[in-house]
Amino acid sequence: MGFIMANRSKIYTKEFMGKFNDVHQKATGKEIKAGGYPDTGNGWYSRELPYEQWLEFNNRQRAHANFVEWIASNIALILIGGLYFPIVCACLGLGVAVSRILYAVGYAMGGANHPIRTIGAVANDLVTLATIVFAVWSCIKWMNQTPFA
């Protein structure tokens, strides 16, 4: 997600990372670079961030992690449901994309209680419920058409 990388570059600048250069060079033999890798928001570099930057970065990291946590199951459900209901499941896939973007943007803008995040979460839950229904329905249709004996 682009807003994660832009935020990382803004926070973990070459100047900020310079304060860790000695310990990094001692451990790796290389000069430290901007970006703060491998810190994911709660590591060695992040503990030196001002609270506002730490919170902003961690909200964006959480939004990204939540996207990654949900996407595999959503794709699987859409593909299974799409075997018998391709148009409906394609529309549900669009709903997943829009709701996940709303969720991530809302979370990045203000954390878990931001209204845009809430709208995205509710929309995602409804779309996911629909994909479950269509995936189960597809499985039932498939079982009724497949001889098992």
Side-chain angles (χ1 to χ4, degrees):
M1 297 187 142
F3 67 84
I4 302 276
M5 291 301 300
N7 189 254
R8 181 177 280 280
S9 299
K10 181 178 86 173
I11 290 175
Y12 297 104
T13 63
K14 181 74 171 162
E15 294 76 33
F16 176 79
M17 296 304 295
K19 65 173 102 177
F20 305 102
N21 194 50
D22 291 341
V23 69
H24 182 79
Q25 235 175 5
K26 184 177 179 183
T28 66
K30 299 176 183 172
E31 181 115 355
I32 199 162
K33 296 181 180 176
Y37 289 104
D39 200 321
T40 58
N42 288 309
W44 189 268
Y45 308 132
S46 293
R47 65 182 175 191
E48 296 290 323
L49 291 172
Y51 182 77
E52 293 80 17
Q53 286 184 325
W54 176 86
L55 182 63
E56 179 184 357
F57 185 75
N58 277 277
N59 279 340
R60 289 174 184 241
Q61 280 290 106
R62 184 66 212 127
H64 174 73
N66 189 271
F67 180 87
V68 171
E69 291 162 3
W70 274 87
I71 198 65
S73 57
N74 276 324
I75 289 172
L77 291 168
I78 290 165
L79 289 174
I80 293 168
L83 293 172
Y84 287 94
F85 306 99
I87 303 299
V88 172
C89 287
C91 293
L92 290 173
L94 178 62
V96 167
V98 171
S99 66
R100 297 312 307 165
I101 289 169
L102 287 172
Y103 182 95
V105 168
Y107 210 123
M109 288 172 56
N113 295 322
H114 196 279
I116 294 174
R117 187 216 64 94
T118 304
I119 292 167
V122 170
N124 183 70
D125 290 347
L126 293 173
V127 171
T128 299
L129 180 60
T131 61
I132 291 169
V133 168
F134 281 100
V136 169
W137 196 355
S138 275
C139 289
I140 291 169
K141 286 180 75 111
W142 176 77
M143 287 173 54
N144 288 334
Q145 294 177 0
T146 304
F148 287 103

